[in-house]
C-alpha cells in the first residue's frame, strides 16, 4: 500500500513537471513556426515566375547570387544539453522573480540585519 502511494505521488509529480513545461514548449514551437514562415518566399509558386526570371537575369548580367545567403544551421543539442539549459533558464527566472519579491535568502538576511540595526 505504501509503495502504491509512493508510485502515485511520483507519477503525479512527473505529470505536474510535464504540464508546467508544456506552455514553454508550445511557445518555443510557435516561434519556430513563425521563423519558418518568414523564410518562405513572399509570392506563391504560380506568380513567382517573374521573380525567378528577374533573379536569373540579374545573375547572368551582374553575377548576383541566385539565392540569399542562408543562416548557418544551429548546432543540434543533445537531450541532456537541452535539459541543462532549460533548468538553468528556469532557475534564473525563479531567482529574478524571488529577488523582485524580496524572498531570496540574501534579501531576507539584509532585512533582518536592518531590523537588528534599528533595534540597537
Amino acid at each position: 500500500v505504501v509503495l502504491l502511494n509512493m508510485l502515485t505521488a511520483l507519477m503525479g509529480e512527473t505529470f505536474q513537471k510535464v504540464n508546467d513545461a508544456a506552455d514553454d514548449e508550445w511557445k518555443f514551437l510557435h516561434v519556430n513556426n513563425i521563423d519558418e514562415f518568414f523564410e518562405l518566399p513572399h509570392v506563391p509558386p504560380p506568380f513567382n515566375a517573374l521573380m525567378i526570371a528577374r533573379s536569373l537575369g540579374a545573375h547572368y548580367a551582374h553575377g548576383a547570387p541566385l539565392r540569399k545567403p542562408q543562416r548557418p544551421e544551429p548546432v543540434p543539442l543533445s537531450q541532456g544539453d537541452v535539459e541543462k539549459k532549460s533548468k538553468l533558464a528556469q532557475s534564473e527566472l525563479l531567482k529574478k522573480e524571488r529577488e523582485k519579491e524580496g524572498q531570496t535568502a540574501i534579501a531576507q538576511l539584509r532585512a533582518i540585519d536592518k531590523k537588528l540595526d534599528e533595534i540597537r
Side-chain angles (χ1 to χ4, degrees):
V1 174
V2 173
L3 290 176
L4 187 60
N5 285 341
M6 286 177 53
L7 177 65
T8 305
L10 286 173
M11 289 175 64
E13 182 182 345
T14 303
F15 175 78
Q16 187 64 36
K17 285 180 184 177
V18 169
N19 200 18
D20 290 343
D23 187 49
D24 293 336
E25 288 189 34
W26 176 83
K27 289 176 184 174
F28 179 73
L29 292 173
H30 187 65
V31 168
N32 281 343
N33 286 342
I34 291 171
D35 283 345
E36 183 179 343
F37 173 77
F38 282 110
E39 289 175 0
L40 294 175
H42 301 293
V43 181
F47 304 111
N48 67 352
L50 292 175
M51 291 176 59
I52 293 172
R54 189 182 78 199
S55 309
L56 287 172
H59 174 69
Y60 288 118
H62 307 293
L66 288 176
R67 293 183 180 208
K68 295 178 186 175
Q70 299 212 353
R71 294 185 296 184
E73 289 292 322
V75 178
L77 298 174
S78 68
Q79 184 66 24
D81 291 339
V82 171
E83 288 174 2
K84 284 179 189 175
K85 287 183 181 271
S86 175
K87 294 218 184 258
L88 181 65
Q90 288 175 1
S91 65
E92 289 295 323
L93 284 173
L94 285 174
K95 186 177 178 183
K96 286 180 183 178
E97 286 178 12
R98 287 182 185 148
E99 285 176 358
K100 287 180 184 176
E101 297 172 0
Q103 294 180 353
T104 60
I106 295 171
Q108 290 174 353
L109 287 174
R110 287 182 183 153
I112 292 170
D113 191 32
K114 284 181 183 179
K115 288 179 184 178
L116 286 174
D117 286 340
E118 291 173 2
I119 293 173
R120 291 181 195 163

